[in-house]
Amino acid sequence: FPNFGASMVKGGNGVYYAIDIAPGLYEFNTGTGAVTLLGNITGTSGDQPNGITFNPANGQYYLISGLNFYSLNVNTFAATLIGNMGVAGSLFIDLCFNAAGVCYAYDLVTDAAYTINPATGVATLLGPLGYDANFGQGMSYDMETSTIYVSAFNNGTFTGQLRTMDPGTGATTLVTDWGLQQVAVFALNTQYGPPCPVGAASNPNPPNGATGVGLTGNTASWTNGVSTVNVELWFGPSG
């Protein structure tokens, strides 16, 4: 990032979108680690976005700044102000949605967690985080386990930490301490929607990664996953 990378989310289309404070919208390639600028975000009128998220309940993307809540069109890069969150002197740092469309966020000034009304932007207090949050932070929701994760820089220990957040009280619980690491651009590889009803294939022969397999005299075989109806089989060189 040419400026400070602030936040990242896995979108409903599987693309990892990240923002920096310029503000710009980027795509993160999980295979290569490359970060590519998609476009400069407009509509914030100089307001600095700190967080980006995706709402699986309505398919929309949202931004949060220290004071304000926006919707974001990831195709046109246009942000639209929804409203001020109503917490005086706040410095909201990141946000996330659960599968039902409930928005969670937290503030570095009050060191507290809130829910955000996505229609109005108004914040409602959940409760204290239980640590002194400072600097860049990250937030992501695990749809598989219904767990809020916070990439938390703890000013008390001056270390980066991974924490979980209670959705009812806002209290966080330490998972692991990363030491002197600030992980602000943080997103889980989570799945939106119901899980795939078809089980994965198993027991491939030749096994995955096999080399030196002859062009003739071999039979490809595997065990289909539960509920498999159709199979596509592809041949070709690596890549």
Side-chain angles (χ1 to χ4, degrees):
F1 298 96
N3 298 283
F4 181 78
S7 179
M8 182 165 65
V9 67
K10 180 184 179 183
N13 56 2
V15 173
Y16 286 80
Y17 293 105
I19 59 171
D20 73 358
I21 60 174
L25 182 67
Y26 293 78
E27 179 179 341
F28 173 66
N29 186 314
T30 59
T32 65
V35 176
T36 303
L37 176 65
L38 298 176
N40 294 317
I41 296 171
T42 61
T44 60
S45 300
D47 198 10
Q48 175 182 299
N50 295 324
I52 183 173
T53 192
F54 173 73
N55 181 0
N58 65 7
Q60 302 298 309
Y61 294 83
Y62 296 88
L63 298 174
I64 200 170
S65 72
L67 297 167
N68 298 312
F69 187 77
Y70 299 83
S71 62
L72 175 68
N73 186 318
V74 295
N75 297 309
T76 66
F77 321 123
T80 302
L81 177 64
I82 293 175
N84 183 280
M85 286 171 289
V87 180
S90 64
L91 183 54
F92 279 88
I93 198 68
D94 213 347
L95 73 171
C96 66
F97 277 88
N98 68 10
V102 177
C103 182
Y104 301 92
Y106 64 112
D107 171 36
L108 300 189
V109 175
T110 59
D111 286 329
Y114 298 79
T115 56
I116 307 294
N117 184 326
T120 65
V122 173
T124 300
L125 178 67
L126 281 178
L129 300 171
Y131 76 100
D132 181 6
N134 202 357
F135 304 111
Q137 310 269 324
M139 195 175 193
S140 194
Y141 194 88
D142 184 356
M143 299 291 166
E144 287 79 9
T145 63
S146 301
T147 305
I148 302 171
Y149 283 92
V150 176
S151 172
F153 196 90
N154 189 329
N155 201 43
T157 60
F158 213 74
T159 57
Q161 298 175 337
L162 180 65
R163 290 174 170 263
T164 57
M165 177 187 289
D166 188 313
T169 67
T172 62
T173 301
L174 179 66
V175 176
T176 189
D177 192 296
W178 287 324
L180 190 60
Q181 302 288 336
Q182 183 180 351
V183 184
V185 185
F186 171 77
L188 296 172
N189 180 15
T190 192
Q191 175 180 296
Y192 299 110
C196 179
V198 180
S202 60
N203 303 318
N205 184 59
N208 289 333
T211 59
V213 178
L215 293 176
T216 61
N218 294 287
T219 301
S221 65
W222 63 91
T223 301
N224 284 328
V226 176
S227 301
T228 298
V229 175
N230 297 300
V231 173
E232 286 187 340
L233 186 60
W234 295 75
F235 292 93
S238 177

